[in-house]
């Protein structure tokens, strides 16, 4: 992509209970996770401070936190970029998602009541609508909300920070790859997951989550396609 192309980061109103540094971190984290900052786009602290209308100090601290989560990479020239993706890293991230998220779903199952199940159904309907409209960013956000609502049903869960760390590392690459496809097929396994929840079938729920993740990355099912998208994410091609 063009390393000087315009960048649009979603800005939300800061609550008084949230510090400026926390708000900057949350804003940039959201932007990375949902592919608003794409691979190959170089940023500077000054540019981000201007976009967020804050001083450089909270930006610098937020970037340190995101770099510690492997979401962004601070280079020697003080430029900031999404870390480069590799085929091995992509495979490892996807397999980690499957292992952790299928576990999280099964552990949450005993705590899912009718109210939450109805919430999941509503989110799935919104995903379908966003998909029909071709709004890939909204599809990504709503899909994360669906999975987050499912996993956090477990009041004792400790895996969500790990899961969101994986989403952070995959988000920019997934957004770039899907935006380059003429057609993006999203196979909806959420219905299977909700049916498994109704039956209280933990194994079926794990299988549905596994299939949902695998089919969400089906666009990279051939080495040729995967390497093509990796080259694009590194700025090798336009």
């Amino acid at each position: 992509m063009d390393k000087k192309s315009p960048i649009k980061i979603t800005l939300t109103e800061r609550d008084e209970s949230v510090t400026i540094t926390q708000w900057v971190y949350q804003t940039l984290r959201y932007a990375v996770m949902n592919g608003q900052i794409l691979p190959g786009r170089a940023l500077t602290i000054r540019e981000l401070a201007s976009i967020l209308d804050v001083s450089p100090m909270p930006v610098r601290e937020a970037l340190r936190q995101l770099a510690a989560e492997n979401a962004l990479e601070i280079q020697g020239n003080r430029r900031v970029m999404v870390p480069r993706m590799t085929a091995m890293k992509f495979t490892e991230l996807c397999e980690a998602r499957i292992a952790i998220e299928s576990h999280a779903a099964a552990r949450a199952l005993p705590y899912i009541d009718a109210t939450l199940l109805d919430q999941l159904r509503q989110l799935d309907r919104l995903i379908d609508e966003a998909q029909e409209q071709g709004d890939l960013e909204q599809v990504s956000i709503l899909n994360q909300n669906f999975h987050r609502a499912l996993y956090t049903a477990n009041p004792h869960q400790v895996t969500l920070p790990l899961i969101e760390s994986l989403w952070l590392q995959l988000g920019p690459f997934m957004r770039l790859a899907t935006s380059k496809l003429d057609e993006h097929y999203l196979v909806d396994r959420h219905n299977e997951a909700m049916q498994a929840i109704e039956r209280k079938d933990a194994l079926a729920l794990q299988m549905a989550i596994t299939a949902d993740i695998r089919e969400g990355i089906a666009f990279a099912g051939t080495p040729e396609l995967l390497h093509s998208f990796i080259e694009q994410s590194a700025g090798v091609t336009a």
Side-chain angles (χ1 to χ4, degrees), residues 213-229:
I213 295 171
R214 286 204 186 282
E215 291 173 4
I217 60 171
F219 67 85
T222 66
E224 292 78 10
L225 268 179
L226 179 56
H227 284 290
S228 172
F229 291 132

mmCIF file of all heavy atoms in Angstrom, residues 213-229:
data_model
loop_
_atom_site.group_PDB
_atom_site.id
_atom_site.type_symbol
_atom_site.label_atom_id
_atom_site.label_comp_id
_atom_site.label_asym_id
_atom_site.label_seq_id
_atom_site.Cartn_x
_atom_site.Cartn_y
_atom_site.Cartn_z
ATOM 1 N N ILE A 213 -13.117 -20.098 12.747
ATOM 2 C CA ILE A 213 -11.801 -19.470 12.600
ATOM 3 C C ILE A 213 -11.118 -19.952 11.323
ATOM 4 O O ILE A 213 -10.578 -19.154 10.550
ATOM 5 C CB ILE A 213 -10.920 -19.752 13.833
ATOM 6 C CG1 ILE A 213 -11.537 -19.087 15.073
ATOM 7 C CG2 ILE A 213 -9.493 -19.260 13.612
ATOM 8 C CD1 ILE A 213 -10.878 -19.481 16.379
ATOM 9 N N ARG A 214 -11.142 -21.257 11.098
ATOM 10 C CA ARG A 214 -10.471 -21.805 9.906
ATOM 11 C C ARG A 214 -11.071 -21.258 8.622
ATOM 12 O O ARG A 214 -10.347 -20.916 7.677
ATOM 13 C CB ARG A 214 -10.548 -23.332 9.912
ATOM 14 C CG ARG A 214 -9.626 -23.993 10.914
ATOM 15 C CD ARG A 214 -9.292 -25.406 10.522
ATOM 16 N NE ARG A 214 -8.530 -26.089 11.553
ATOM 17 C CZ ARG A 214 -7.232 -25.916 11.755
ATOM 18 N NH1 ARG A 214 -6.553 -25.079 10.991
ATOM 19 N NH2 ARG A 214 -6.610 -26.579 12.716
ATOM 20 N N GLU A 215 -12.387 -21.183 8.550
ATOM 21 C CA GLU A 215 -13.025 -20.718 7.326
ATOM 22 C C GLU A 215 -12.917 -19.205 7.175
ATOM 23 O O GLU A 215 -13.005 -18.682 6.077
ATOM 24 C CB GLU A 215 -14.470 -21.201 7.287
ATOM 25 C CG GLU A 215 -14.520 -22.715 7.111
ATOM 26 C CD GLU A 215 -15.912 -23.303 7.226
ATOM 27 O OE1 GLU A 215 -16.874 -22.534 7.372
ATOM 28 O OE2 GLU A 215 -16.020 -24.544 7.180
ATOM 29 N N GLY A 216 -12.674 -18.511 8.292
ATOM 30 C CA GLY A 216 -12.436 -17.080 8.214
ATOM 31 C C GLY A 216 -11.106 -16.744 7.575
ATOM 32 O O GLY A 216 -10.897 -15.632 7.086
ATOM 33 N N ILE A 217 -10.183 -17.725 7.562
ATOM 34 C CA ILE A 217 -8.873 -17.518 6.935
ATOM 35 C C ILE A 217 -8.724 -18.378 5.683
ATOM 36 O O ILE A 217 -7.614 -18.586 5.197
ATOM 37 C CB ILE A 217 -7.730 -17.841 7.923
ATOM 38 C CG1 ILE A 217 -7.807 -19.307 8.378
ATOM 39 C CG2 ILE A 217 -7.759 -16.909 9.110
ATOM 40 C CD1 ILE A 217 -6.601 -19.770 9.174
ATOM 41 N N ALA A 218 -9.852 -18.852 5.172
ATOM 42 C CA ALA A 218 -9.803 -19.746 4.008
ATOM 43 C C ALA A 218 -9.233 -19.068 2.778
ATOM 44 O O ALA A 218 -8.740 -19.739 1.871
ATOM 45 C CB ALA A 218 -11.205 -20.293 3.707
ATOM 46 N N PHE A 219 -9.259 -17.709 2.745
ATOM 47 C CA PHE A 219 -8.709 -16.992 1.595
ATOM 48 C C PHE A 219 -7.228 -17.279 1.419
ATOM 49 O O PHE A 219 -6.678 -17.128 0.329
ATOM 50 C CB PHE A 219 -8.909 -15.478 1.774
ATOM 51 C CG PHE A 219 -8.095 -14.898 2.897
ATOM 52 C CD1 PHE A 219 -6.780 -14.520 2.695
ATOM 53 C CD2 PHE A 219 -8.652 -14.735 4.149
ATOM 54 C CE1 PHE A 219 -6.030 -13.980 3.734
ATOM 55 C CE2 PHE A 219 -7.908 -14.202 5.187
ATOM 56 C CZ PHE A 219 -6.585 -13.829 4.978
ATOM 57 N N ALA A 220 -6.570 -17.672 2.515
ATOM 58 C CA ALA A 220 -5.135 -17.956 2.457
ATOM 59 C C ALA A 220 -4.888 -19.456 2.367
ATOM 60 O O ALA A 220 -3.864 -19.962 2.823
ATOM 61 C CB ALA A 220 -4.443 -17.382 3.690
ATOM 62 N N GLY A 221 -5.848 -20.153 1.775
ATOM 63 C CA GLY A 221 -5.774 -21.603 1.740
ATOM 64 C C GLY A 221 -4.707 -22.175 0.831
ATOM 65 O O GLY A 221 -4.390 -23.351 0.907
ATOM 66 N N THR A 222 -4.144 -21.348 -0.058
ATOM 67 C CA THR A 222 -3.064 -21.836 -0.907
ATOM 68 C C THR A 222 -1.797 -21.039 -0.607
ATOM 69 O O THR A 222 -1.872 -19.842 -0.308
ATOM 70 C CB THR A 222 -3.409 -21.668 -2.400
ATOM 71 O OG1 THR A 222 -3.480 -20.268 -2.705
ATOM 72 C CG2 THR A 222 -4.744 -22.330 -2.719
ATOM 73 N N PRO A 223 -0.638 -21.672 -0.680
ATOM 74 C CA PRO A 223 0.616 -20.942 -0.424
ATOM 75 C C PRO A 223 0.808 -19.734 -1.334
ATOM 76 O O PRO A 223 1.331 -18.707 -0.914
ATOM 77 C CB PRO A 223 1.687 -22.017 -0.687
ATOM 78 C CG PRO A 223 0.997 -23.321 -0.475
ATOM 79 C CD PRO A 223 -0.412 -23.103 -0.944
ATOM 80 N N GLU A 224 0.333 -19.846 -2.578
ATOM 81 C CA GLU A 224 0.504 -18.745 -3.526
ATOM 82 C C GLU A 224 -0.251 -17.502 -3.067
ATOM 83 O O GLU A 224 0.279 -16.390 -3.085
ATOM 84 C CB GLU A 224 0.015 -19.160 -4.920
ATOM 85 C CG GLU A 224 0.855 -20.243 -5.607
ATOM 86 C CD GLU A 224 0.564 -21.647 -5.076
ATOM 87 O OE1 GLU A 224 -0.431 -21.807 -4.315
ATOM 88 O OE2 GLU A 224 1.313 -22.565 -5.410
ATOM 89 N N LEU A 225 -1.508 -17.695 -2.663
ATOM 90 C CA LEU A 225 -2.301 -16.558 -2.195
ATOM 91 C C LEU A 225 -1.707 -15.969 -0.928
ATOM 92 O O LEU A 225 -1.593 -14.755 -0.784
ATOM 93 C CB LEU A 225 -3.740 -17.011 -1.928
ATOM 94 C CG LEU A 225 -4.740 -16.889 -3.074
ATOM 95 C CD1 LEU A 225 -6.101 -17.400 -2.632
ATOM 96 C CD2 LEU A 225 -4.850 -15.449 -3.539
ATOM 97 N N LEU A 226 -1.356 -16.830 0.024
ATOM 98 C CA LEU A 226 -0.813 -16.355 1.288
ATOM 99 C C LEU A 226 0.444 -15.530 1.068
ATOM 100 O O LEU A 226 0.591 -14.424 1.600
ATOM 101 C CB LEU A 226 -0.520 -17.536 2.219
ATOM 102 C CG LEU A 226 0.077 -17.182 3.595
ATOM 103 C CD1 LEU A 226 -0.829 -16.201 4.329
ATOM 104 C CD2 LEU A 226 0.286 -18.441 4.420
ATOM 105 N N HIS A 227 1.360 -16.031 0.250
ATOM 106 C CA HIS A 227 2.606 -15.305 0.001
ATOM 107 C C HIS A 227 2.340 -14.006 -0.762
ATOM 108 O O HIS A 227 3.045 -13.008 -0.553
ATOM 109 C CB HIS A 227 3.595 -16.191 -0.752
ATOM 110 C CG HIS A 227 4.244 -17.226 0.109
ATOM 111 N ND1 HIS A 227 5.160 -16.901 1.080
ATOM 112 C CD2 HIS A 227 4.093 -18.572 0.171
ATOM 113 C CE1 HIS A 227 5.563 -18.002 1.694
ATOM 114 N NE2 HIS A 227 4.919 -19.033 1.164
ATOM 115 N N SER A 228 1.330 -14.000 -1.618
ATOM 116 C CA SER A 228 0.973 -12.779 -2.329
ATOM 117 C C SER A 228 0.531 -11.698 -1.357
ATOM 118 O O SER A 228 0.959 -10.540 -1.449
ATOM 119 C CB SER A 228 -0.144 -13.059 -3.339
ATOM 120 O OG SER A 228 -0.630 -11.861 -3.906
ATOM 121 N N PHE A 229 -0.315 -12.071 -0.390
ATOM 122 C CA PHE A 229 -0.796 -11.098 0.587
ATOM 123 C C PHE A 229 0.336 -10.662 1.526
ATOM 124 O O PHE A 229 0.380 -9.509 1.955
ATOM 125 C CB PHE A 229 -1.956 -11.680 1.389
ATOM 126 C CG PHE A 229 -3.209 -11.877 0.579
ATOM 127 C CD1 PHE A 229 -3.905 -13.071 0.633
ATOM 128 C CD2 PHE A 229 -3.694 -10.869 -0.239
ATOM 129 C CE1 PHE A 229 -5.055 -13.263 -0.122
ATOM 130 C CE2 PHE A 229 -4.846 -11.041 -0.996
ATOM 131 C CZ PHE A 229 -5.525 -12.239 -0.931
#
